[in-house]
Amino acid sequence: MRQVKLGVNIDHVATLRQARMEKNPDTVEAARVVYSSGGDMVVMHLRQDRRHIQDSDIERVRHEVKGLIHLEMAAIPEMEKLALRVRPDSVCLVPENPREVTTEGGLKLEGKQTELGKIIKNLSNAGIEVSVFTDPAPQAIRAAHNLGADSIELCTSKYSEAWGKKLQAKELEKLQLAGFLVKELKMHLHAGHGLDYYNVAPIARIEGMDCLNIGFSIISRAMFVGLKTAVAEMKRLIQ
Ligand code: PXP
């Protein structure tokens, strides 16, 4: 049976720690629990304002825990430098708007091809797998493919926010078609943003889905059932 991998985003463990500027809750401890509860990958999003994950979180998880690390970051020289130093196993290039509460959609590639192409090439040459976070739009997917990305992470926020079955089905169809194109281009297919225990199953069942990256819903549920159970429950739902 095909296994959909689960990347668990632990940003909001760091959000809680940063609220008091304390040592706890510790992201290294969170990463250990993720790996031992069925999570395939620890995901961290390093933002320019460092409001949750700090550079030291990525360094410590890299050096103190054995397992795959996936870094989400803006496609800018500062982040490229950090990635080349810390060497996560994979990176996802995402847009970043300084005032956003969370990522607001896929990366817009028009007009940025040259700089994006360089970053993708440098990361790839360092052995880091590169994905690009895109809306389920054929032009964006083809552009990321032409720039040498290995994977596409489809942005599921419109699907997650869709109100009512009809609208949600429409958004799901866009993701399914986009997934078909990603596979036709022989790229890895990832998806994420806004996925939770209620809306995740149809996304996990998209033909060729390789990995889902999920954070907020898992960390929220962990408050009540513990991180181990929250990760294991999500893993079960996506099988
Ligand atoms: N994928 C990407 C590219 C993201 O930027 C984020 C948020 O950092 C996620 C997945 C996880 O989203 P959520 O926290 O809503 O599950």
Side-chain angles (χ1 to χ4, degrees):
M1 196 175 68
R2 190 177 60 87
Q3 291 251 332
V4 180
K5 292 200 175 78
L6 174 63
V8 179
N9 183 313
I10 60 169
D11 291 355
H12 298 300
V13 173
T15 301
L16 184 56
R17 180 197 61 203
Q18 293 305 104
R20 277 271 179 117
M21 299 288 183
E22 294 276 357
K23 288 196 174 144
N24 289 307
D26 185 11
T27 49
V28 167
E29 210 175 327
R32 286 202 182 102
V33 175
V34 165
Y35 295 131
S36 66
S37 324
D40 298 285
M41 210 160 66
V42 163
V43 183
M44 288 174 276
H45 189 157
L46 187 67
R47 290 180 173 274
Q48 289 171 77
D49 64 7
R50 305 296 196 271
R51 66 174 177 252
H52 37 57
I53 293 294
Q54 309 295 304
D55 304 38
S56 56
D57 288 308
I58 304 165
E59 282 158 13
R60 287 188 59 230
V61 174
R62 173 85 295 178
H63 294 120
E64 294 178 34
V65 196
K66 218 170 142 214
L68 297 176
I69 295 182
H70 180 68
L71 175 65
E72 296 168 348
M73 59 177 224
I76 56 172
E78 176 198 353
M79 296 298 165
E80 178 191 357
K81 223 167 114 187
L82 179 126
L84 291 174
R85 180 165 56 81
V86 181
R87 304 288 172 118
D89 300 278
S90 52
V91 150
C92 181
L93 300 175
V94 301
E96 191 172 319
N97 164 7
R99 280 187 300 278
E100 71 192 9
V101 173
T102 182
T103 313
E104 289 168 337
L107 191 62
K108 306 279 174 276
L109 290 95
E110 311 86 58
K112 292 190 217 140
Q113 267 98 336
T114 313
E115 59 188 278
L116 274 173
K118 270 192 207 147
I119 294 183
I120 292 174
K121 193 165 167 220
N122 292 341
L123 294 170
S124 296
N125 286 345
I128 300 169
E129 191 178 306
V130 183
S131 79
V132 175
F133 190 52
T134 75
D135 293 319
Q139 314 88 293
I141 294 167
R142 286 189 192 282
H145 175 255
N146 290 339
L147 292 176
D150 304 289
S151 319
I152 294 289
E153 180 171 336
L154 294 175
C155 175
T156 50
S157 49
K158 284 216 173 108
Y159 162 82
S160 306
E161 288 160 11
W163 218 86
K165 282 196 173 146
K166 217 167 146 188
L167 262 185
Q168 201 176 46
K170 215 168 128 191
E171 292 303 328
L172 178 61
E173 197 181 333
K174 284 187 205 163
L175 291 160
Q176 287 164 332
L177 288 172
F180 191 73
L181 174 60
V182 173
K183 289 283 125 178
E184 205 172 69
L185 293 170
K186 309 242 177 303
M187 301 173 86
H188 301 296
L189 176 62
H190 304 175
H193 211 272
L195 296 178
D196 62 28
Y197 296 83
Y198 301 98
N199 65 19
V200 75
I203 301 296
R205 278 191 231 112
I206 289 177
E207 191 63 34
M209 184 58 69
D210 293 300
C211 179
L212 299 180
N213 293 323
I214 307 176
F216 193 77
S217 61
I218 294 178
I219 303 302
S220 302
R221 179 137 179 83
M223 300 249 324
F224 303 104
V225 300
L227 187 55
K228 193 177 174 63
T229 304
V231 171
E233 283 178 356
M234 185 59 86
K235 181 78 182 184
R236 226 174 294 129
L237 282 173
I238 71 173
Q239 299 295 296

